Amino acid sequence: MDLKALKSGTDLRGVAIAGKSPVTLTDEAAAAATAGFVLYLRKRTENRRLKIAVGHDSRLSAERLYSAVLAVLKRAGCEIMCCGLCSTPAMFMMTQFPSTDCDGSVMITASHHPYDKNGLKFFLKSGGVNGEQLDEIISLGCGGANISGGTKAIVLNKDFVGLYCDYLKSKFIDAAGGEAEPLSGLKIAVDAGNGAGGFFAQRVLAPLGADVSASQFLQPDGRFPNHVPNPENAEAMKSIADCVKNSNADLGVIFDTDADRAAFVSSDGTEINRNRLIALVSAIVLDECPGGAIVTDSVTSDGLKSFIENHGGIHHRYKRGYRNVIDEAVRLEKSGVAAPLAIETSGHAALKENYYLDDGAYLAVRIIIKMAQLKKLGLGLSSLISDLKMPKEEKEIRLTFKCADWRAYGDFVIESLKMSCDKLKGAIVRPAPVNYEGIRVNLSTAEGWFLVRMSVHDPIMVINMESDSEGGTAKLAAFLYAFMSEFNELDASPLRVIGE
């Protein structure tokens, strides 16, 4: 089997339920990948029984793949900690809790992707595996080596997720000076999108005194019948915003399927995701770490850059991809630059204080603590980002390719665009002096900028645009269409539609 074809960044992902496309993430593929992970861990541990945790989100194919993974771990003679339905961050924490101390963990999830997809994430004690580590796992898994452990496996079925819930609750209690119910008097609406995040309302907030009666879609359902479980989705954000306004809640929290991402809605109905979310969390951490670097992905706004700098921080705009952003923050820290936060506009937020783990629930804890403090002063979360300048218009456009070698062709188009903009450089066209992927250009006639880059995972060219004037994104699109329409293997028609 070709496990390499399932590689998506630092995860394995594929079709797990037959439909429009044939199944690619088969039981055999999941088993081979798990065997590769066992062999990878054995190469780096002493000659002893491995301790590995396994969990999954609410997807319809989860139980099938869960069984395939468990079968391999049993054959390898591992000590297996069965976590069942849980969040992705909880699986990493199984390697950190002293009472579990796992060598690694396997999470079965495909984040916010459609119900027919699924995937595998692998965690080490140092965090999620990176691209090179995943390549080795794939190679080992395809090698056909014998993974028999020579001893009988130990299978533990306990409430391991409870350890993670206790960890989150302790953060609230510590912040409140030991108060048993520090959230008493707060009404918080949680939207789990029928994924794995319902525990946050039921097992973290409610026991601490919060009113979670307005929460919605907490019941796990892998068909995702109510809305896409994605904090970047406009329908999903409107759903939680309406919930907050209709219930007079103090805060709305929405998770993606495996709860490693989150977005929020303040009591006044303000949707806090993307640039607003980055600004909010930046304001919180910069109050504690003045002068720190906030590492973000490449599509963040100029207004956010000014906000971070005005709050005493450094905006380090890096590449798209949550793993890229986290790795860059770690690199900065090692070089002596304080980097308290790595955060992507998608909602992946990793704080240094929490192992640089992108954890939607931990992020919610930090924001709720701040909200409670502000409420005592008669203020809301929106007060922290009142000086964030938002653009009048912003759009994201995705262009598809007509050729098989789309990656090379896309790189060629972007390089050609760079050369063209360099020739036009002057008062009208100003390429960004520091840019880590694609090309980012300010166009004065449109009072805005565009960023053209290749998708991290898919055969798509992504264009983000932002303008401070009405009709500005149409001017940006027209500028790009005039150039890109000359490339026959790229479908630039979406730019023409916007630019007309």
Side-chain angles (χ1 to χ4, degrees):
M1 69 193 72
D2 186 9
L3 287 180
K4 291 182 180 179
L6 298 177
K7 184 181 177 183
S8 179
T10 55
D11 304 345
L12 294 179
R13 286 181 184 164
V15 178
I17 296 177
K20 295 180 180 179
S21 303
V23 171
T24 55
L25 185 56
T26 61
D27 289 1
E28 292 77 16
T34 304
F37 187 51
V38 169
L39 293 170
Y40 180 92
L41 290 173
R42 280 182 180 166
K43 288 174 65 175
R44 290 159 176 81
T45 55
E46 300 170 359
N47 185 24
R48 57 176 173 76
R49 187 197 303 270
L50 291 173
K51 296 170 68 175
I52 300 178
V54 188
H56 60 81
D57 68 17
S58 62
R59 292 176 178 276
L60 300 177
S61 56
E63 290 290 347
R64 173 178 66 80
L65 294 170
Y66 189 63
S67 297
V69 171
L70 288 177
V72 173
L73 298 180
K74 289 176 182 177
R75 192 162 69 249
C78 298
E79 182 176 343
I80 310 164
M81 301 189 184
C82 301
C83 299
L85 181 73
C86 65
S87 72
T88 292
M91 290 308 300
F92 167 71
M93 292 305 297
M94 290 292 290
T95 69
Q96 303 300 313
F97 294 136
S99 61
T100 52
D101 191 30
C102 291
D103 298 295
S105 62
V106 184
M107 178 65 181
I108 301 167
T109 181
S111 186
H112 63 281
H113 287 268
Y115 79 96
D116 62 328
K117 302 290 182 65
N118 215 328
L120 300 176
K121 287 178 178 282
F122 299 103
F123 287 99
L124 311 171
K125 286 181 177 293
S126 58
V129 300
N130 60 31
E132 291 183 2
Q133 291 168 328
L134 183 58
D135 285 338
E136 184 177 348
I137 290 168
I138 290 171
S139 178
L140 291 168
C142 293
N146 180 19
I147 63 163
S148 175
T151 57
K152 186 176 180 180
I154 299 174
V155 181
L156 303 174
N157 289 281
K158 297 181 181 179
D159 180 23
F160 292 114
V161 179
L163 295 173
Y164 177 65
C165 294
D166 290 342
Y167 170 70
L168 296 177
K169 286 188 290 185
S170 72
K171 301 299 177 181
F172 283 116
I173 294 171
D174 290 347
E179 185 179 343
E181 293 191 347
L183 303 182
S184 180
L186 294 178
K187 187 172 187 178
I188 302 172
V190 176
D191 183 332
N194 300 114
F199 73 90
F200 189 68
Q202 300 162 331
R203 303 189 63 181
V204 178
L205 301 182
L208 297 179
D211 177 355
V212 297
S213 61
S215 296
Q216 59 184 17
F217 316 139
L218 303 183
Q219 185 64 32
D221 187 339
R223 297 168 299 172
F224 311 126
N226 293 291
H227 60 66
V228 176
N230 183 1
E232 284 193 288
N233 180 267
E235 179 188 357
M237 287 305 298
K238 183 179 184 304
S239 179
I240 184 61
D242 289 344
C243 177
V244 169
K245 289 182 283 189
N246 293 336
S247 65
N248 293 315
D250 294 293
L251 183 72
V253 183
I254 183 169
F255 295 115
D256 69 342
T257 316
D258 59 330
D260 62 356
R261 293 190 294 137
F264 304 84
V265 176
S266 62
S267 59
D268 61 4
T270 300
E271 295 181 11
I272 305 176
N273 63 349
R274 298 181 65 81
N275 285 292
R276 283 195 182 99
L277 177 59
I278 298 174
L280 176 63
V281 189
S282 297
I284 293 172
V285 299
L286 287 173
D287 189 46
E288 303 163 358
C289 182
I294 307 300
V295 183
T296 74
D297 60 355
S298 59
V299 302
T300 49
S301 70
D302 288 344
L304 177 67
K305 179 177 178 63
S306 297
F307 177 90
I308 290 171
E309 292 173 349
N310 290 339
H311 282 254
I314 301 167
H315 184 199
H316 187 83
R317 188 186 280 132
Y318 196 57
K319 299 177 183 178
R320 181 75 168 174
Y322 73 92
R323 189 73 221 181
N324 290 329
V325 173
I326 292 172
D327 287 347
E328 181 66 1
V330 172
R331 185 192 70 79
L332 288 175
E333 276 284 339
K334 289 180 178 178
S335 71
V337 177
L341 174 64
I343 184 167
E344 195 183 33
T345 49
S346 65
H348 283 285
L351 287 95
K352 177 189 175 184
E353 68 192 52
N354 190 46
Y355 309 95
Y356 277 124
L357 172 66
D358 48 319
D359 184 344
Y362 188 89
L363 179 66
V365 169
R366 290 291 262 122
I367 288 175
I368 292 170
I369 289 172
K370 191 64 177 181
M371 179 194 70
Q373 294 169 346
L374 289 170
K375 189 175 182 181
K376 292 179 180 179
L377 301 174
L379 299 172
L381 286 173
S382 297
S383 66
L384 291 184
I385 55 174
S386 60
D387 56 332
L388 173 66
K389 182 182 178 182
M390 297 294 291
K392 284 191 177 180
E393 295 183 349
E394 54 184 332
K395 289 186 182 297
E396 181 174 281
I397 301 167
R398 297 178 170 234
L399 307 183
T400 57
F401 294 90
K402 302 174 185 177
C403 57
D405 193 10
W406 51 270
R407 176 70 67 181
Y409 193 80
D411 290 341
F412 168 67
V413 172
I414 290 174
E415 193 59 36
S416 299
L417 179 59
K418 286 180 181 178
M419 294 173 63
S420 177
C421 288
D422 280 341
K423 292 178 182 178
L424 294 172
K425 191 185 299 182
I428 296 176
V429 174
R430 291 182 295 107
V434 178
N435 189 60
Y436 290 93
E437 65 176 340
I439 176 172
R440 186 179 179 117
V441 170
N442 294 286
L443 189 64
S444 62
T445 55
E447 295 185 64
W449 57 265
F450 63 75
L451 171 71
V452 182
R453 62 181 177 87
M454 293 299 295
S455 169
V456 176
H457 304 301
D458 305 312
I460 292 170
M461 179 175 285
V462 185
I463 301 173
N464 292 90
M465 300 184 293
E466 180 182 294
S467 174
D468 290 327
S469 66
E470 191 171 329
T473 53
K475 293 178 181 178
L476 291 165
F479 176 89
L480 285 169
Y481 180 72
F483 176 82
M484 292 188 174
S485 59
E486 299 297 320
F487 294 85
N488 295 328
E489 298 301 320
L490 179 68
D491 181 8
S493 59
L495 287 168
R496 183 187 64 217
V497 172
I498 294 173
E500 289 177 345

